[in-house]
């Protein structure tokens, strides 16, 4: 991970603040090429978080070596017996795959139970590399139905639920899955004009229909394996709970996240989970979750712009895991002001994170769902320096397979 602690001064054709050149002969040509690629990217692709790929230049050997299986295995070996903790399985925001970060997914380990928050790209693999047992997975919580948060969701059922692996592990009992119901309406196209509509008869399915359709799409594989190998019926491995919204005036085409008090989602006697709606541009519903456990409390923001609902949910929590975007990076790259404004109503700028965490009164702030995700574009030191401003607690710049212990204290 880059170690520089100072931002680079903005220059014509320069990389964004905190970025390191990825080519030994300088980055002038690279920056120009990246700028042309970025400005040619559709606003719709950028709006859902696929920004890092548009800024990426060349991937040198150092980047390719950043997340090797050997390194992941070493982390996995150290994970055993660590007690209650948060495990950042993947820390990248946006659907386009990044080389040195996997898709957004986090695990909360409480005793011998594992609670999963979002299932981004490679979450099934990262779960195993972290030393977690599939048989210990009790519940999954989906913040919203953007592809980068659910890309690996069905793989937990389809693959980890196939039967035990060579390590005698697998999902053998039904997993409870909590998340959004149907949105109910599609917003107009950003920038005006018309957009095509997939599945016009049901264009805004919720978690239940999503799950059912994924199961049906793999019907042939499942049916053959049940006859040939006696694998479990995948339908018996999942219980979907679409979250009922409190009557707070929320609307898919109006206020998607009105001011509200946290409400109960689940209490299994070990962990109590509450939630609020958060503003994520046109996405509805989009949730943040709080987990209160015997060893402490942790809040996962999901994707959100700056929100008082997060403050209400996270007040007094031990750890806040919050999404982050570097809007200055994209401003320096010359993206249009309307698109910057569009991003600002969907995500939280790194300069706003510290004061937000201070208002929440949390002890530790963990940055995840990082955009841009490419480590060459913004260094960890740059993320940390700006997130720390206005916050008296500890800042952790999340990386894949990082772990944050829950000790029921601020130590």
């Amino acid at each position: 991970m880059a170690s520089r602690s100072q931002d680079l001064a903005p220059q014509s054709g320069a990389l964004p603040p905190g970025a390191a050149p990825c080519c030994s002969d300088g980055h002038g040509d690279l920056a120009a090429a990246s700028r042309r690629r970025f400005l040619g990217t559709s606003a719709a692709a950028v709006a859902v978080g696929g920004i890092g790929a548009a800024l990426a230049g060349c991937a040198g050997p150092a980047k390719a070596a950043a997340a090797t299986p050997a390194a992941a295995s070493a982390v996995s070996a150290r994970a055993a017996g660590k007690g209650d903790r948060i495990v950042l399985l993947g820390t990248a925001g946006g659907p386009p795959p990044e080389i040195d970060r996997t898709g957004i997914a986090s695990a909360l380990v409480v005793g011998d139970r594992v609670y999963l928050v979002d299932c981004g790209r490679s979450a099934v693999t990262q779960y195993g590399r972290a030393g977690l047992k599939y048989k210990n997975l009790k519940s999954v919580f989906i913040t919203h139905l953007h592809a980068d948060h659910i890309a690996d969701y069905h793989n937990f059922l389809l693959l980890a639920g196939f039967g035990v692996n060579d390590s005698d592990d697998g999902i053998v009992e039904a997993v409870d899955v909590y998340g959004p119901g149907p949105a109910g309406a599609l917003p107009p196209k950003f920038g005006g004009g018309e957009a095509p509509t997939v599945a016009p008869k049901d264009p805004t399915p919720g978690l239940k229909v999503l799950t059912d359709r994924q199961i049906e799409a793999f019907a042939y594989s499942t049916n053959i394996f049940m006859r040939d190998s006696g694998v479990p019926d995948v339908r018996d491995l999942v219980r979907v709970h679409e979250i009922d919204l409190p009557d707070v005036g929320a609307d898919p085409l109006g206020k998607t996240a009105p001011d509200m008090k946290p409400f109960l989602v689940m209490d299994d006697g070990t962990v109590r989970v509450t939630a609020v709606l958060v503003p994520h541009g046109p996405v509805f519903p989009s949730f943040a979750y709080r987990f209160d456990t015997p060893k402490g409390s942790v809040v996962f923001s999901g994707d959100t712009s700056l929100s008082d609902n997060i403050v209400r949910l996270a007040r007094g929590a031990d750890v806040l895991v919050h999404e982050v975007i570097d809007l200055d990076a994209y401003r320096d790259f010359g993206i249009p002001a309307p698109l910057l404004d569009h991003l600002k109503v969907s995500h939280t700028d790194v300069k706003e994170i510290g004061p937000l965490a201070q208002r929440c009164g949390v002890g530790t702030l963990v940055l995840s769902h990082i955009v841009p995700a490419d480590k060459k574009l913004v260094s960890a030191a740059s993320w940390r320096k700006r997130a720390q401003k206005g916050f008296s607690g500890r800042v952790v710049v999340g990386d894949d397979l990082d772990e944050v212990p829950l000790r029921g204290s601020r130590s």
Side-chain angles (χ1 to χ4, degrees), residues 23-205:
C23 302
S24 59
D25 58 351
H27 57 73
D29 293 341
L30 168 64
S34 295
R35 183 191 300 272
R36 288 192 296 271
R37 288 178 59 202
F38 181 77
L39 294 177
T41 301
S42 72
V46 173
V48 297
I51 309 170
L55 290 177
C58 62
K63 180 179 180 182
T68 64
S73 297
V75 173
S76 175
R78 294 194 299 271
K82 282 193 172 182
D84 295 3
R85 63 197 185 277
I86 304 159
V87 184
L88 304 179
L89 302 179
T91 54
E98 298 294 341
I99 300 303
D100 50 8
R101 291 186 192 273
T102 59
I104 183 68
S106 306
L108 177 63
V109 182
V110 181
D112 61 355
R113 297 168 175 257
V114 182
Y115 303 85
L116 187 63
V117 181
D118 286 329
C119 305
R121 175 183 60 87
S122 300
V124 169
T125 298
Q126 295 292 89
Y127 187 101
R129 285 180 174 174
L132 304 176
K133 296 296 185 182
Y134 300 110
K135 64 184 178 182
N136 290 341
L137 179 60
K138 299 303 178 185
S139 302
V140 177
F141 295 83
I142 303 297
T143 60
H144 64 290
L145 298 180
H146 263 158
D148 53 323
H149 291 251
I150 57 173
D152 244 34
Y153 163 51
H154 190 60
N155 281 342
F156 277 94
L157 307 176
L158 187 72
L159 304 178
F162 181 87
V164 296
N165 59 17
D166 291 345
S167 301
D168 195 29
D169 184 31
I171 294 176
V172 294
E173 296 180 352
V175 175
D176 289 291
V177 182
Y178 300 84
L186 287 173
K189 182 178 180 293
F190 171 65
E194 298 293 329
T197 300
V198 175
K201 292 182 179 180
D202 187 10
T204 63

